[in-house]
Amino acid sequence: MDYVLTTNGLGKRYKHFQALNDLTMHVPKGAIYGFVGKNGAGKTTLIRLICGLQDPTSGEYTLYGKRNTDKDIIKSRRRMGAVVETAAIYMDMTAEENLKYQYLLMGIPSFNGIPELLKLVGLENTGKKKAGNFSLGMKQRLGIAIALAGDPDFLVLDEPVNGLDPQGIVEIRELILKLNRERQITILISSHILDELSRLATHYGIIDSGKMVKEISAEELEAACRKCTRMEVSDTAVLARALDSMNVEYKIISATAADVYAKVNITQLTVALAKENCEVLSMQERDESLESYFISLVGGADHA
Amino acid sequence: MRKCLSAEIYRCRRSTLFWLMLLASVLAGVFYGIVSMSGSFEDIFVVPLFVISAAFISLNTGREYTDNTIRNKIIIGAPKTAVLLSKLVFDVGTGVLFCAAFLAPCAIILSFGVLSKLPASVLCWTLTGLVLLSVVWAVLFTVVSMLTSAKGVGGIINFVVIIAVMLLAYQLESILRQPEFINTTEHSMVQMTPEEVKQIQEGTYQGSYSDATDENGQVTYYKPVLTNTEQKPNPKYVKQPLRGILTHLDSMLPNGQMNEYVSCLYHHAVVASEAEPFDDYPRLKTFPLYSCLDILLLSGVGLILFRKKEIR
């Protein structure tokens, strides 16, 4: 699999505080990677490191195959755009002027692409309004437009919907999906709002106290959070035969446990199992929400 | 670096702050021209030019941190060296522009009076020196502002530095101008002659005197007479090698140079008329070298520290 960004044992220490600790992650090309963690987990610190704003204390990362210590990393950086924490815009300039400034900074000779970029983020009608007078959503969109100025294929967004109203959240979400689908831009989004990420992300990285707890794809996460009945029996082979005859979807967890995903007639099942001398030890309904899955992971990490 | 610089120039043209500071420089130049018409050329009235430069650079650079726009430059792959160098070049350019805006009205006003008395060589050296000093100050203000992330803190540090350098330069000048020897004199009191007493009574005597009245009421007049003059070493005179060190330090300080420039201007505008300028002010020719040294040192320190700075 092609990875746009990989980190290997990345660490960052600020005086007496270890912000990142042996963090390893992989962002696949073309993915919308949801970087999930509590406040203070290390999400923004990681983003600062990969954007080159700060240097890691230990470990390394690669961007398009180039290590952070390579001089060629500059070429890789030109393929990415980022909005770190708040949108970095000049408040005393208009949206168009901000983009012209960015174009000059990047050495793009012509300003012809600016009207299309403004239209993409929904700021085509701002005219002579200074960025300082924009709403928070408009500022965020202008920040994204600036990040897109160099036509990047990797976009890093640090909590892009923070402080936005529901309308603003929907606009940003649709923009992100559009960028990923129409322009095949790989997107790394950090957030602590799981519900919002679940509508966007194709991959997840869950971070806690500077460490990566788990990396998981959206499909795997969906499977992990699916509603089911956990059954403990004396012989899962017998259980499997009984469930097959009932045309019920299931998954064997171990020699004595299985998850049953469909609604099943319990009396019928226990009678079928009893005929083959299989005992039912326990039955438990499981309905893992994204939050409970996340908390179980993060809480488990605390006790590890 | 070229890209960063062109972007900065683009922003500057749209900056109200820049145009306000340019106007302030013109007004400061008019004011300096008026107060210098008598030929006094007080250096204290040049300080507003550097305050204007400090204000612009501190606010302009501080805004990059407040708005977080400094991140954009690094995220797109611009090396920190290029970011600082482009800032230095830009701020030096604005510093020189402010200096030109200050000098132009000043020159126009002085052309009606004292300017014609100044030899061309003195004018050239002084103008070159002042432009170089603007560059030195601009580099210092830029380095301070780029290293301090807070707009207000950078501005305060720059203003404090202006005052500290000014006071240090005055103190050094005071120390270095002490003569090596001082004259000590001894006097004794002798009785005045009848003619001199008559002058005292008539009120026509010029000089100091004292009188003493004895128990009989008779007044006797005395005058001081110099009995001995001696040259003694001045205890406040600083000897070598410390003198050399202080002289070099004074030459490196922008205000140390400024004191010498205005003294030279005053000398030729008011005191002398045809004296060879650099016989009395030999240090003036070395000041451009010291300014270049200041620029290199400050830029070097700034580059080293900024590369290590962590951007939030």
Side-chain angles (χ1 to χ4, degrees):
Chain A
M1 187 182 274
D2 237 350
Y3 293 113
V4 167
L5 170 72
T6 61
T7 72
N8 185 13
L10 205 59
K12 179 64 183 175
R13 189 174 188 86
Y14 297 109
K15 289 183 183 175
H16 304 295
F17 175 64
Q18 189 77 29
L20 289 181
N21 188 2
D22 195 28
L23 185 94
T24 298
M25 68 187 279
H26 310 80
V27 178
K29 191 174 178 180
I32 299 178
Y33 190 99
F35 195 35
V36 187
K38 299 185 291 193
N39 290 329
K43 304 186 293 295
T44 302
T45 304
L46 172 85
I47 288 172
R48 284 184 188 138
L49 293 186
I50 63 173
C51 288
L53 298 172
Q54 296 176 6
D55 293 323
T57 320
S58 59
E60 62 177 19
Y61 63 89
T62 62
L63 200 54
Y64 290 100
K66 300 284 181 202
R67 280 194 198 153
N68 56 299
T69 45
D70 289 349
K71 283 183 182 164
D72 284 352
I73 189 93
I74 289 172
K75 289 179 189 165
S76 296
R77 289 210 195 288
R78 291 195 183 127
R79 295 174 68 179
M80 71 180 272
V83 181
V84 183
E85 287 188 295
T86 52
I89 54 179
Y90 289 104
M91 298 297 175
D92 58 343
M93 296 208 292
T94 64
E96 187 179 349
E97 286 169 349
N98 267 283
L99 281 171
K100 280 184 178 172
Y101 180 90
Q102 188 70 9
Y103 270 49
L104 286 167
L105 207 57
M106 302 187 77
I108 300 171
S110 166
F111 296 149
N112 291 342
I114 289 178
E116 190 196 326
L117 197 46
L118 286 172
K119 195 174 176 186
L120 176 68
V121 298
L123 294 176
E124 68 273 29
N125 295 322
T126 50
K128 300 225 180 286
K129 193 176 186 180
K130 303 277 189 228
N133 296 325
F134 283 6
S135 67
L136 187 56
M138 289 168 78
K139 285 178 186 169
Q140 283 290 80
R141 281 185 274 144
L142 180 55
I144 293 172
I146 288 171
L148 292 172
D151 202 19
D153 37 37
F154 180 39
L155 193 61
V156 179
L157 301 174
D158 186 12
E159 307 205 14
V161 299
N162 238 7
L164 295 186
D165 59 23
Q167 172 78 13
I169 292 173
V170 168
E171 285 168 358
I172 297 289
R173 185 200 314 147
E174 286 175 5
L175 175 60
I176 291 169
L177 285 169
K178 189 175 182 180
L179 291 172
N180 180 248
R181 286 173 192 161
E182 291 181 14
R183 295 188 176 200
Q184 283 80 55
I185 295 176
T186 306
I187 301 176
L188 169 66
I189 310 178
S190 78
S191 183
H192 53 269
I193 306 173
L194 295 170
D195 184 50
E196 192 50 38
L197 272 184
S198 67
R199 295 166 199 260
L200 283 170
T202 59
H203 293 75
Y204 296 87
I206 299 165
I207 180 174
D208 186 54
S209 301
K211 270 185 174 290
M212 183 63 79
V213 174
K214 194 176 185 71
E215 282 190 287
I216 190 170
S217 69
E219 293 83 15
E220 288 166 354
L221 182 63
E222 196 181 342
C225 295
R226 206 169 154 188
K227 191 174 178 176
C228 66
T229 306
R230 171 76 50 102
M231 291 184 70
E232 278 195 36
V233 297
S234 54
D235 187 354
T236 48
V238 173
L239 177 65
R241 283 198 295 274
L243 290 173
D244 283 340
S245 66
M246 293 162 100
N247 273 329
V248 169
E249 191 184 346
Y250 64 92
K251 183 179 170 186
I252 302 295
I253 305 296
S254 67
T256 56
D259 284 341
V260 180
Y261 294 108
K263 212 168 168 60
V264 76
N265 188 314
I266 301 297
T267 307
Q268 203 176 339
L269 179 63
T270 49
V271 164
L273 292 175
K275 277 182 185 170
E276 297 200 46
N277 297 318
C278 176
E279 289 177 8
V280 177
L281 301 172
S282 71
M283 289 176 72
Q284 196 179 23
E285 268 211 9
R286 298 179 84 219
D287 186 3
E288 188 92 82
S289 68
L290 197 55
E291 282 85 3
S292 60
Y293 181 76
F294 168 72
I295 288 166
S296 70
L297 277 178
V298 165
D302 277 346
H303 296 296
Chain B
M1 188 184 107
R2 197 166 32 88
K3 295 173 202 169
C4 289
L5 195 53
S6 64
E8 285 297 319
I9 292 167
Y10 173 81
R11 189 166 81 92
C12 181
R13 291 206 314 256
R14 276 149 190 77
S15 169
T16 312
L17 179 69
F18 170 74
W19 295 107
L20 276 174
M21 292 297 155
L22 197 63
L23 178 63
S25 303
V26 170
L27 294 173
V30 167
F31 181 71
Y32 189 65
I34 293 169
V35 300
S36 300
M37 281 190 82
S38 61
S40 60
F41 294 109
E42 293 288 342
D43 61 310
I44 192 81
F45 296 118
V46 183
V47 170
L49 170 63
F50 306 130
V51 170
I52 288 164
S53 187
F56 174 73
I57 291 170
S58 304
L59 290 171
N60 196 45
T61 304
R63 186 178 289 174
E64 296 256 23
Y65 283 102
T66 312
D67 293 346
N68 296 309
T69 46
I70 196 159
R71 283 186 207 146
N72 290 346
K73 294 171 185 174
I74 294 167
I75 288 171
I76 59 160
K80 280 184 177 175
T81 311
V83 172
L84 181 65
L85 281 175
S86 64
K87 213 71 189 76
L88 280 171
V89 170
F90 174 76
D91 287 341
V92 161
T94 55
V96 171
L97 201 58
F98 291 150
C99 184
F102 176 88
L103 289 173
C106 183
I108 292 168
I109 292 169
L110 292 176
S111 65
F112 291 107
V114 74
L115 203 66
S116 55
K117 293 184 188 175
L118 298 172
S121 55
V122 169
L123 271 176
C124 282
W125 277 103
T126 313
L127 281 173
T128 307
L130 190 57
V131 169
L132 279 172
L133 288 181
S134 300
V135 173
V136 171
W137 278 121
V139 169
L140 174 62
F141 298 147
T142 305
V143 168
V144 167
S145 301
M146 287 295 276
L147 294 178
T148 52
S149 306
K151 183 163 57 173
V153 172
I156 290 168
I157 292 173
N158 283 331
F159 291 140
V160 167
V161 165
I162 290 173
I163 293 167
V165 167
M166 193 167 66
L167 292 174
L168 181 60
Y170 282 150
Q171 193 61 28
L172 283 173
E173 189 192 11
S174 163
I175 292 169
L176 292 171
R177 285 192 192 270
Q178 289 286 336
E180 192 172 355
F181 295 99
I182 49 175
N183 293 326
T184 58
T185 54
E186 285 177 20
H187 294 83
S188 60
M189 302 299 283
V190 299
Q191 195 167 351
M192 295 173 83
T193 62
E195 290 77 24
E196 287 169 338
V197 171
K198 192 180 174 189
Q199 283 177 7
I200 289 170
Q201 288 164 349
E202 287 171 359
T204 58
Y205 182 75
Q206 288 181 359
S208 60
Y209 64 92
S210 62
D211 55 57
T213 310
D214 63 18
E215 51 201 37
N216 297 326
Q218 192 165 359
V219 179
T220 312
Y221 291 92
Y222 299 92
K223 66 176 180 183
V225 171
L226 188 67
T227 55
N228 191 23
T229 306
E230 205 180 328
Q231 256 204 343
K232 283 186 180 175
N234 182 358
K236 292 183 182 176
Y237 180 79
V238 173
K239 291 181 183 166
Q240 297 290 356
L242 182 60
R243 187 170 194 83
I245 294 168
L246 293 180
T247 306
H248 285 306
L249 179 61
D250 188 51
S251 297
M252 284 189 76
L253 292 176
N255 280 83
Q257 293 183 22
M258 181 57 74
N259 292 341
E260 202 74 358
Y261 284 127
V262 298
S263 294
C264 180
L265 285 171
Y266 173 75
H267 178 82
H268 289 279
V270 177
V271 179
S273 55
E274 290 172 23
E276 175 55 40
F278 300 124
D279 286 346
D280 294 334
Y281 297 92
R283 286 169 63 201
L284 282 185
K285 280 187 180 172
T286 65
F287 285 162
L289 287 172
Y290 282 103
S291 293
C292 289
L293 186 60
D294 283 338
I295 291 163
L296 284 170
L297 276 174
L298 289 168
S299 304
V301 167
L303 276 167
I304 292 168
L305 294 177
F306 186 66
R307 281 176 73 174
K308 291 183 181 175
K309 184 175 168 65
E310 301 204 315
I311 311 292
R312 295 198 132 260

